[in-house]
Amino acid sequence: MNDEFYRQILNKQQLTEAVPSNKEITTWALQVIRLLFPEQSKKVFISIGQLQDEFAKLQEELLHIMNATQACSDCDNKDRSKSFFDQLPELYRILNTDIQAIFNGDPAARSEFEVIRTYPGFYAICFYRLAHSLFKHDVPLIPRILTEYAHSKTGIDIHPAANIDEYFYIDHGTGIVIGETTRIGKHVKLYQGVTLGALSVEKFMADTKRHPTVEDNVVIYSGATILGGETIVGHDSVIGGNVWLTKSVQPYSRVYHAPMVKVLKKDEQ
């Protein structure tokens, strides 16, 4: 290796924006989630004062993380951290609707405790909702770090900028992709392998709506791919497995893929 190579790497080291480690950021998020849902934690609080102290500690930790993220060195991070925690009761309310949707919709769910403790869909939704709240507060980098962490743990890839309403249900979940400009209404259920993506990924489209809109009470079965910013899945529709959809469908639609499947008996092979 020559000196020019070393100079190139040194220059990059000096120009790189300072960001706390992913572990520090995700540990903070896990502490928030476990405080909201003690089913995921061994720690028990016995007084309101203890809870207030713990929330205040986590608020200070968020402030520290944001201050250490130099990509937003001119932001009012103290106000943003306080605003995030002020809105935590509403985020908690919405997460409880997600728990209810999963528990009511999955015959295999034996209790809400089981949903909170074991379901990868709920785990991914928790990280998404925290990340989305931070995204709405114009916090850079940290939201994407959180959703990519959940992606690595669950196989569920939700962009923090996606807009997802309450009572959101992910069943199984592995391989789900929800793009940046996706809009999802209330009481929507997604199965594994669903992609809500873009028809085009040209860089000039960064500020345009590239991903579909899914209205209320829609079910999308495994392997379905729905693409395009102008594509709208009307409310109360069902999208069958392995469907490839790039055009809007009206409310109450039933869209199915019709494969050619033939089963041969042994003597016909």
Side-chain angles (χ1 to χ4, degrees):
M1 294 184 288
N2 57 35
D3 287 348
E4 178 58 31
F5 173 76
Y6 288 118
R7 279 193 292 270
Q8 183 180 0
I9 298 302
L10 179 60
N11 184 58
K12 190 172 183 181
Q13 293 279 343
Q14 294 172 339
L15 292 176
T16 298
E17 295 173 344
V19 183
S21 70
N22 287 11
K23 183 176 181 181
E24 181 179 352
I25 293 168
T26 56
T27 297
W28 168 81
L30 282 168
Q31 288 177 319
V32 174
I33 292 168
R34 288 168 180 166
L35 191 56
L36 295 176
F37 299 102
E39 294 89 342
Q40 296 191 6
S41 174
K42 293 181 180 179
K43 194 171 184 179
V44 177
F45 295 87
I46 60 174
S47 72
I48 289 177
Q50 285 183 328
L51 284 172
Q52 290 172 331
D53 289 345
E54 190 67 17
F55 277 114
K57 173 188 169 186
L58 290 171
Q59 183 173 322
E60 283 298 315
E61 287 182 11
L62 177 59
L63 176 59
H64 165 75
I65 289 169
M66 289 194 291
N67 283 340
T69 305
Q70 293 182 5
C72 195
S73 57
D74 61 342
C75 295
D76 186 349
N77 290 327
K78 187 173 183 179
D79 181 70
R80 292 181 184 204
S81 179
K82 181 180 183 303
S83 181
F84 171 84
F85 276 88
D86 285 346
Q87 293 179 16
L88 207 55
E90 174 61 10
L91 187 147
Y92 178 68
R93 183 195 70 79
I94 294 174
L95 281 168
N96 275 288
T97 71
D98 301 325
I99 294 168
Q100 186 178 342
I102 295 170
F103 177 67
N104 292 342
D106 186 1
R110 296 292 182 257
S111 66
E112 291 187 358
F113 179 95
E114 183 180 23
V115 171
I116 295 167
R117 189 66 179 263
T118 70
Y119 274 54
F122 180 66
Y123 190 87
I125 291 168
C126 280
F127 273 87
Y128 155 75
R129 296 218 184 271
L130 286 180
H132 184 66
S133 182
L134 291 169
F135 175 85
K136 289 192 297 183
H137 286 86
D138 295 320
V139 176
L141 299 174
I142 296 169
R144 194 64 185 268
I145 289 171
L146 293 180
T147 54
E148 288 301 335
Y149 174 80
H151 182 196
S152 72
K153 293 294 184 181
T154 65
I156 299 167
D157 181 2
I158 310 176
H159 195 285
N163 281 284
I164 303 176
D165 213 325
E166 59 192 33
Y167 293 96
F168 184 46
Y169 176 10
I170 290 176
D171 199 346
H172 304 295
T174 305
I176 283 177
V177 176
I178 301 175
E180 178 183 16
T181 60
T182 303
R183 294 185 179 275
I184 296 177
K186 296 178 175 67
H187 297 280
V188 170
K189 182 175 183 178
L190 304 184
Y191 283 84
Q192 67 273 18
V194 168
T195 296
L196 302 177
L199 275 169
S200 174
V201 291
E202 297 293 336
K203 193 66 176 178
F204 72 88
M205 299 181 68
D207 295 325
T208 63
K209 191 177 187 311
R210 309 180 307 280
H211 306 91
T213 295
V214 179
E215 295 182 345
D216 297 348
N217 305 310
V218 169
V219 179
I220 306 176
Y221 283 100
S222 58
T225 298
I226 304 173
L227 306 177
E230 296 183 1
T231 303
I232 300 174
V233 179
H235 63 82
D236 296 279
S237 292
V238 175
I239 309 300
N242 299 317
V243 164
W244 178 276
L245 189 63
T246 59
K247 294 182 179 180
S248 296
V249 297
Q250 295 297 315
Y252 300 101
S253 294
R254 299 293 182 267
V255 183
Y256 294 103
H257 174 65
M260 296 295 293
V261 177
K262 187 175 182 179
V263 179
L264 299 177
K265 296 181 181 177
K266 185 175 181 180
D267 57 1
E268 294 175 330
Q269 296 178 5

